[in-house]
């Protein structure tokens, strides 16, 4: 049955890109010359397909054409066999319906990150043409939007979710799947409701949490921000995303997002209660608590003598619950190539903040015959060097550390 859940983790056939051939039949019209639309255009033109671009902004179309993402659309061009709607989600349903009418023989796809309201609106407005419509969601993006940030490799190795409705024709499903394979993604099939619940958990709420955390930094003292390290940067990375786009995404998936936020609220309330300094009376509040009783120096010592209630069982238990559940949850995030998560070892290397040094480090690791499984770098405020964290399989930690030290690199102990 179309739209039922199934996961298909097949190896991405990179030979498709190398051969210059594609299963997708063109011409392809992309409506919406932004990050996703532009990246699709770049990927498909690289495969030799005829791609047309259309957007409300002539500047976006012109820039896309100059980047090689396609040819500006005009009515004199051959009619497209495939139309991909890559507009903001709040206008996607209307654009899909217009495309179904304007191009009566074309298959129409949309790439919106919200599905339930869009699919329902299209089915209600154009039931007779909806068999030519299938929804997809490439789970790829960047913190920055716009055609200028487009990349022909944006979808490589990323999930390509096919969301077919019960009336979707098999040819439309095939076109949706083929397009995903052509751009190097792997296929996942979900129903609209299931998709929206899934992205609320793994994409939409993480964006909100990142933005909420970053918002606390607005009034933070400069001395506090000077202490910021990789942890804060990791948590707030996506907070730089475009608010206009996320307004439309989150409003369209508000119910599923709210459900996840309510679960988080319950967990946060339990943590806050556990961290409370004492059990408050009904008339007390968090903003005006009763002062804790004073304790002597002996009672508060940290050398094994009696201490105060700073490290209460309630606080320790509440924190431990959050941390252990977090450890368990992060262990379920798929690792490389969609495989089960792996526990990698780390080698931390001091790298001068000068041109070429990071490339030399990677070359040295390659010379040692060791594969880099993952990588991140931290910069310290006011320092002209960074700490590069090289993630490798555990058995490679000692050999890599020894090799790098022998070749003159400074390896930090973790």
């Amino acid at each position: 049955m179309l739209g039922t859940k199934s996961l298909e983790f097949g190896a991405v056939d990179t030979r498709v890109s190398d051969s210059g051939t594609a299963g997708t039949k063109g011409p392809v019209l992309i409506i919406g010359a932004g990050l996703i639309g532009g990246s699709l255009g770049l990927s498909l033109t690289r495969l030799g397909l005829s791609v047309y671009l259309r957007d409300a902004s002539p500047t976006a179309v012109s820039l896309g054409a100059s980047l090689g993402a396609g040819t500006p659309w005009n009515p004199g061009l051959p009619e497209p066999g495939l139309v991909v709607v890559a507009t903001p989600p709040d206008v996607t349903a209307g654009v899909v319906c217009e495309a179904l009418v304007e191009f009566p023989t074309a298959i129409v796809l949309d790439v919106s990150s919200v599905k339930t309201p869009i699919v329902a609106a299209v089915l209600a407005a154009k039931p007779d043409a909806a068999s030519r419509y299938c929804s997809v969601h490439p789970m790829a993006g960047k913190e920055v939007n716009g055609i200028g940030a487009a990349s022909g490799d944006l979808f490589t190795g990323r999930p390509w979710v096919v969301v077919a409705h019960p009336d979707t024709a098999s040819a439309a499903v095939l076109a949706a799947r083929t397009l995903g394979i052509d751009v190097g993604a792997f296929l996942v099939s979900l129903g609209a409701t299931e998709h929206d619940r899934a992205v609320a958990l793994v994409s939409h709420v993480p964006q909100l949490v990142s933005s909420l955390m970053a918002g606390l930094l607005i009034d933070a003292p400069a001395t506090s921000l000077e202490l910021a390290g990789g942890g804060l940067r990791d948590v707030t990375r996506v907070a730089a995303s475009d608010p206009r786009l996320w307004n439309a995404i989150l409003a369209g998936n508000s119910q599923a997002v709210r459900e996840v936020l309510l679960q988080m609220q319950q967990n946060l309330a339990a943590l806050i209660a556990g961290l409370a300094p004492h059990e408050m009376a009904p008339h007390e509040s968090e903003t005006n608590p009763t002062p804790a009783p004073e304790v002597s120096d002996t009672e508060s010592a940290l050398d094994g003598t009696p201490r105060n209630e700073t490290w209460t069982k309630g606080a320790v238990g509440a924190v431990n619950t959050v941390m252990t559940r977090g450890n368990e949850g992060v262990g379920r995030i798929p690792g490389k190539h969609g495989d089960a998560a792996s526990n990698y070892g780390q080698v931390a290397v001091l790298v001068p903040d000068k041109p070429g040094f990071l490339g030399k480090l990677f070359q040295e690791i390659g010379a040692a015959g060791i594969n880099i499984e993952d990588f991140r770098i931290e910069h310290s405020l006011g320092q002209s060097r960074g700490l590069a964290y090289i993630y490798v399989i555990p058995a490679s930690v000692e050999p890599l550390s020894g090799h790098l030290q022998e070749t003159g690199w400074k390896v930090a102990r973790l």
Side-chain angles (χ1 to χ4, degrees):
M1 176 176 143
L2 296 177
T4 56
K5 181 176 75 171
S6 65
L7 298 180
E8 300 180 38
F9 294 97
V12 176
D13 186 359
T14 55
R15 294 172 299 174
V16 172
S17 296
D18 295 338
S19 66
T21 60
T24 297
K25 305 301 180 184
V28 178
L29 170 62
I30 298 173
I31 304 177
L35 172 64
I36 300 299
S39 297
L40 274 173
L42 288 171
S43 183
L44 294 177
T45 55
R46 188 169 61 188
L47 295 175
L49 284 169
S50 295
V51 177
Y52 309 140
L53 299 175
R54 188 164 82 181
D55 193 281
S57 168
T59 302
V61 172
S62 178
L63 178 57
S66 67
L67 293 173
T71 301
W73 165 256
N74 69 73
L77 291 169
E79 287 221 351
L82 177 66
V83 178
V84 181
V85 176
T87 57
D90 53 338
V91 298
T92 294
V95 177
V96 167
C97 291
E98 291 170 1
L100 288 169
V101 173
E102 184 178 358
F103 306 105
T105 62
I107 290 170
V108 179
L109 312 178
D110 81 82
V111 294
S112 174
S113 58
V114 179
K115 296 305 178 192
T116 303
I118 293 173
V119 172
V122 172
L123 291 178
K126 300 295 177 186
D128 296 336
S131 63
R132 294 186 285 114
Y133 163 64
C134 187
S135 195
V136 300
H137 182 195
M139 295 293 293
K142 299 179 180 179
E143 299 87 57
V144 291
N145 291 304
I147 188 80
S151 167
D153 297 314
L154 184 66
F155 313 107
T156 302
R158 302 300 304 157
W160 182 272
V161 188
V162 177
V163 182
H165 58 84
D167 297 329
T168 305
S170 58
V173 176
L174 179 60
R177 294 167 61 89
T178 302
L179 181 61
I181 293 172
D182 282 344
V183 298
F186 67 85
L187 304 177
V188 180
S189 295
L190 295 175
T193 301
E194 188 175 15
H195 165 275
D196 288 355
R197 287 175 177 168
V199 295
L201 178 64
V202 304
S203 176
H204 299 173
V205 170
Q207 171 65 56
L208 287 173
V209 171
S210 179
S211 296
L212 286 167
M213 183 64 232
L216 297 178
L217 306 179
I218 295 173
D219 298 319
T223 51
S224 296
L225 297 178
E226 290 173 357
L227 305 180
L232 183 65
R233 292 187 179 93
D234 288 346
V235 170
T236 59
R237 179 180 61 83
V238 297
S241 300
D242 186 353
R244 295 169 298 178
L245 175 63
W246 278 98
N247 286 341
I249 292 172
L250 295 169
N253 200 25
S254 59
Q255 184 58 39
V257 168
R258 183 175 182 274
E259 291 173 2
V260 178
L261 288 174
L262 287 173
Q263 294 178 31
M264 184 171 289
Q265 182 184 46
Q266 292 176 353
N267 295 338
L268 185 59
L271 175 61
I272 292 172
L275 295 175
H278 67 288
E279 185 175 348
M280 293 183 292
H283 66 277
E284 296 174 341
S285 69
E286 286 287 348
T287 57
N288 188 30
T290 301
E294 294 184 0
V295 294
S296 68
D297 291 341
T298 302
E299 291 176 320
S300 61
L302 300 178
D303 58 0
T305 57
R307 60 181 183 177
N308 63 17
E309 296 302 312
T310 298
W311 286 269
T312 62
K313 290 182 179 180
V316 171
V319 171
N320 186 66
T321 297
V322 170
M323 299 301 295
T324 54
R325 283 180 59 82
N327 290 164
E328 183 179 354
V330 78
R332 296 198 63 206
I333 299 174
K336 289 174 63 178
H337 315 304
D339 299 330
S342 301
N343 292 319
Y344 297 128
Q346 296 181 53
V347 177
V349 187
L350 289 171
V351 181
D353 189 9
K354 297 179 180 178
F357 274 90
L358 195 57
K360 291 178 181 178
L361 174 61
F362 284 7
Q363 288 179 346
E364 201 64 66
I365 296 172
I370 293 174
N371 188 55
I372 300 174
E373 305 294 339
D374 207 345
F375 169 82
R376 67 183 176 91
I377 189 167
E378 288 185 4
H379 299 279
S380 297
L381 188 66
Q383 299 294 315
S384 60
R385 62 186 180 181
L387 193 59
Y389 290 87
I390 311 298
Y391 292 82
V392 297
I393 60 174
S396 295
V397 171
E398 290 302 323
L400 178 58
S401 297
H403 176 80
L404 291 176
Q405 287 174 328
E406 290 173 1
T407 52
W409 293 90
K410 294 182 179 180
V411 177
R413 291 185 176 274
L414 297 177

